[in-house]
Structure formats: structure tokens, C-alpha cells
Amino acid sequence: GFVYSHVSSTAHMSVAVSVQRDRDMKNPNVANIHAAAFRVLAPNKFKAQKKLQQLQKEIGDIPSSQLPPSQLEKLGILDKNYRAECEDNRQEQMRQKDKPLEYGQIIQLQHMFTKRFLSVSTTLTSQVEPTNMQVELRQFN
């Protein structure tokens, strides 16, 4: 079968599994193959990105010239940390490039079409199978 993304206007896009019979695997009925393609990546860090986005959300549309000096300083520190985190992620992806995937290794799956990451919800159950947790596509893990 295939895992593919449902087009959705919700904050977290949902994913589904399409079961294909063996004879249909050579010519799958997938409208856009990018909707079913995932990239295997080494785990990225998103802690600094989340903190920066949270502060930017709190600040809103206030111009930087009107922010208190303490908040400007915090914004600068978080931006610096975010840039360092992005560079660390880039270097880790380069370090892991072309290495074979081993059983038990932690990975992230990035949806090729949306550039979002496959994530298992810790609070929501699946709409199809209520005994399992919901799987979503998120901006970061």
C-alpha cells in the first residue's frame, strides 16, 4: 500500500494508508506520486525554532522599534540559536547522507509534496482506528 496526504485546510494535515493489491503495485492509482513519497532523514532538532516562533507570535505585528530592549535582546538570542540549530541540522543530514538505514535507527519521514514531517499525536486518537493514535503531517516534529 501507500501512505499519502489528504488535502486539508486544518492546521495538521492528515495522512492515510491506501491498500493496493499486489497486481496493482506496478501501476498504482495515485494521482500525484509526490503525495505518496516521503524522504528518510536523520532526526532534526526544532527546539530553537519553536521558541522563536512562540515569541514572534507573542510579539505579533509590533514593529521592532517599539519593543522593549529586553524583548529585542531575547529575540536576537532566539534568532541566533535558531540559525545555529538549522546549521546543526544541515550538518547532521550531510553526515548521515548515503549511510545505510539500520534496524532500530531513529529517523524522520518528510512528505515530499508538503515538506512536512510525519508525526504521531500524543493526544488524539485515529479517526479510522480509535484504539490507535492519530498520524499527522506537521511543520516540525
Side-chain angles (χ1 to χ4, degrees), residues 43-47 49-50 106-109 116-121 136-141:
N44 285 312
K45 301 175 207 165
F46 296 103
K47 187 176 181 179
Q49 181 181 359
K50 287 179 183 178
I106 297 173
I107 60 167
Q108 281 186 317
L109 295 175
R116 290 174 175 251
F117 295 93
L118 197 64
S119 180
V120 178
S121 174
E136 306 168 318
L137 290 174
R138 293 189 182 179
Q139 184 178 356
F140 39 74
N141 233 357

Side-chain angles (χ1 to χ4, degrees), residues 28-121:
N29 185 17
V30 178
N32 182 344
I33 196 64
H34 293 291
F38 287 83
R39 187 171 158 204
V40 177
L41 298 171
N44 285 312
K45 301 175 207 165
F46 296 103
K47 187 176 181 179
Q49 181 181 359
K50 287 179 183 178
K51 286 183 177 181
L52 179 60
Q53 286 181 343
Q54 183 180 8
L55 181 61
Q56 288 172 334
K57 189 176 178 181
E58 289 173 16
I59 291 171
D61 295 334
I62 301 171
S64 58
S65 60
Q66 295 179 4
L67 291 174
S70 61
Q71 213 165 22
L72 264 177
E73 182 181 357
K74 186 177 181 181
L75 189 60
I77 291 168
L78 290 177
D79 186 60
K80 182 180 175 184
N81 292 346
Y82 166 67
R83 291 176 192 276
E85 184 177 77
C86 288
E87 181 60 21
D88 287 348
N89 288 338
R90 188 190 68 73
Q91 287 179 4
E92 182 62 16
Q93 295 307 323
M94 292 302 294
R95 193 175 74 74
Q96 296 293 334
K97 186 178 181 185
D98 298 327
K99 284 189 176 180
L101 187 60
E102 296 178 7
Y103 178 79
Q105 183 177 345
I106 297 173
I107 60 167
Q108 281 186 317
L109 295 175
Q110 185 181 37
H111 189 236
M112 296 297 290
F113 186 71
T114 63
K115 306 295 185 213
R116 290 174 175 251
F117 295 93
L118 197 64
S119 180
V120 178
S121 174

